[in-house]
Amino acid sequence: MASTQQMLTMYRKMLLARRFEEKAGQAYGLKKIQGFCHLYIGQEAVVVGVNEALRESDWVMTGYRDHVHPLVRGADAGMLMAELYGRDGGYSKGKGGSMHFFDIEHGFYGGYGIVGGQIPLAAGMAFASKYRNEDRVTVCSFGDAAANQGAMHETFNMAVKWKLPVLYIVEQNKYGMGTDIARVSSVPDIHKRAPGWDMRGEAVDGMDVMAVYEKAKELVEWIRAGNGPVLLEAYTYRFRGHSMSDAATYRTKDEVEQEKQRDPILKLRKQLLDKKAATEAELDAIDDEEKAVVEKALAFADASPLPPDSDIWTHGLVEEGEADVKPRERVLGATDVKWPAFPTDFKVTWDLEPKGPPATPSTAKKGAA
């Protein structure tokens, strides 16, 4: 069970995520943010609950609804907002924008604009960790619509075959853009597909951060013990449209209001009050503190300059011998940046392919034609 301090930490992180996204939405309306912008409002329990169960050394990647993923892992809010603004003070000098956040320092290896594009990449990262004998779990989240991508099936087959240390999380918010998953999928409960790959499949209430944390903690420990990948389906709901340009006319106001009664922040707030872990005033103070963090982030983004014109032709490829650029060091002059280092003198201790005679399909054993 999570401690009272962990519960308060998760409450704070969910509020930070919510306030950051609310201000991002406002900035988009003011045209300070251009292009696409997909908000995470309503789904905070998933990212916060999972990350609370991880180590700093674990890796995380997701799709294009990615703003709060690095934020709750410790990324600088001002630099993230500057990235949304397309400013030089952003993590990628404004070149990534909303859909392509990246923060190596905090183990966040990207938001990806191609639907499901991160799924095979996560398997590759988990493969690298296992190959180098690193005690690391890779977490990859994606939306329910991505579950119908062919790459997912190919990847899951490989991940199970090689027992890769990867946790796949379906953020099941019911709609793939404007299409209800039940309209286009013969098996809308995606975790039920896992047995098809001989894979462990689990489900959790994605509107309950405590439930997400407890389930993620169990599964991460199971994966870290060498048991292979897991598919976790978190049933959640986004309170805003698919993107800022989506009027969300495919669902009723009554449906949205009903779902808002399950707001994960309000749920955890009630749990904290019921446990007498904090008072109303103390929880309100936490909210005020996180609002101040986001206001400071907005001011930083507004003050950050646009990238120089000369940068148009840079960063397309990594040049030979080019050194890593540590974003917080570059922008903030930080001296405490923790940068990953990878072993070069390791010994591979596992076989890529199993030895011995070829396996016989179970149907052949039974004499099936």
Side-chain angles (χ1 to χ4, degrees):
M1 293 291 292
S3 67
T4 298
Q5 186 55 52
Q6 282 179 303
M7 293 176 69
L8 287 168
T9 296
M10 287 188 273
Y11 183 72
R12 181 181 293 277
K13 287 183 176 181
M14 284 201 294
L15 278 172
L16 175 60
R18 177 69 60 87
R19 303 311 175 212
F20 185 95
E21 291 292 69
E22 288 172 346
K23 287 299 183 180
Q26 292 176 18
Y28 189 92
L30 295 171
K31 299 187 184 303
K32 292 184 177 182
I33 297 173
Q34 303 288 326
F36 291 103
C37 185
H38 306 81
L39 302 181
Y40 201 79
I41 295 174
Q43 301 183 200
E44 296 90 352
V46 182
V47 65
V48 171
V50 170
N51 273 282
E52 192 65 20
L54 299 178
R55 298 175 181 171
E56 289 185 1
S57 57
D58 291 330
W59 287 338
V60 174
M61 59 203 315
T62 188
Y64 45 74
R65 202 177 302 279
D66 63 348
H67 305 165
V68 305
H69 287 260
L71 183 65
V72 303
R73 287 184 66 80
D76 184 82
M79 290 178 61
L80 292 175
M81 192 65 76
E83 187 64 32
L84 283 173
Y85 277 38
R87 300 300 181 90
D88 192 63
Y91 269 88
S92 300
K93 292 192 171 186
K95 290 186 173 183
S98 172
M99 295 198 292
H100 303 291
F101 276 17
F102 217 89
D103 178 19
I104 292 178
E105 180 187 359
H106 295 99
F108 181 70
Y109 279 79
Y112 293 85
I114 300 299
V115 175
Q118 69 274 26
I119 296 174
L121 295 179
M125 295 179 73
F127 178 93
S129 295
K130 183 169 183 177
Y131 192 78
R132 294 189 296 229
N133 304 311
E134 296 169 334
D135 186 17
R136 175 182 287 120
V137 171
T138 296
V139 175
C140 175
S141 58
F142 54 95
D144 44 89
N148 288 333
Q149 288 280 24
M152 188 189 81
H153 306 279
E154 298 173 5
T155 300
F156 282 10
N157 178 67
M158 179 186 296
V160 173
K161 185 67 176 174
W162 293 342
K163 289 190 175 182
L164 300 182
V166 55
L167 173 61
Y168 283 105
I169 301 173
V170 182
E171 294 180 314
Q172 171 61 281
N173 62 32
K174 191 178 177 181
Y175 294 98
M177 294 187 74
T179 303
D180 191 319
I181 183 67
R183 291 182 56 197
V184 295
S185 177
S186 60
V187 184
D189 293 304
I190 296 162
H191 72 281
K192 294 181 180 179
R193 305 179 191 178
W197 303 285
D198 195 22
M199 187 177 189
R200 182 175 177 181
E202 299 278 351
V204 69
D205 180 0
M207 304 299 274
D208 183 341
V209 70
M210 297 306 299
V212 174
Y213 165 70
E214 295 295 343
K215 178 59 69 174
K217 182 180 178 183
E218 173 199 349
L219 297 180
V220 168
E221 290 175 355
W222 191 84
I223 293 168
R224 209 182 297 278
N227 293 302
V230 177
L231 174 62
L232 174 63
E233 184 168 14
Y235 293 103
T236 184
Y237 196 87
R238 50 177 166 79
F239 296 160
R240 303 288 289 269
H242 169 73
S243 69
M244 287 299 296
S245 60
D246 176 17
T249 56
Y250 45 83
R251 57 188 186 181
T252 66
K253 291 183 179 180
D254 287 343
E255 175 186 316
V256 177
E257 289 304 314
Q258 183 177 352
E259 292 291 344
K260 284 183 177 180
Q261 301 306 307
R262 303 196 300 133
D263 190 317
I265 296 177
L266 298 181
K267 185 179 182 69
L268 182 56
R269 183 185 179 95
K270 184 178 185 303
Q271 291 173 330
L272 287 165
L273 292 172
D274 288 346
K275 286 172 63 72
K276 301 188 184 308
T279 64
E280 291 270 8
E282 288 170 337
L283 296 180
D284 288 343
I286 291 175
D287 195 4
D288 289 340
E289 289 168 7
E290 299 314 311
K291 286 178 179 177
V293 170
V294 176
E295 288 295 338
K296 185 178 178 181
L298 287 168
F300 178 87
D302 280 322
S304 183
L306 290 168
D309 291 344
S310 59
D311 267 7
I312 291 176
W313 308 109
T314 62
H315 310 125
L317 296 172
V318 177
E319 300 295 338
E320 185 175 353
E322 183 178 346
D324 282 338
V325 175
K326 303 174 178 62
R328 281 201 314 120
E329 183 180 84
R330 173 181 66 85
V331 177
L332 305 177
T335 58
D336 60 340
V337 176
K338 297 179 182 178
W339 210 246
F342 304 108
T344 57
D345 57 344
F346 58 89
K347 179 181 179 182
V348 179
T349 59
W350 62 291
D351 292 325
L352 183 63
E353 295 294 341
K355 304 300 182 182
T360 304
S362 57
T363 52
K365 293 179 181 178
K366 297 175 183 178

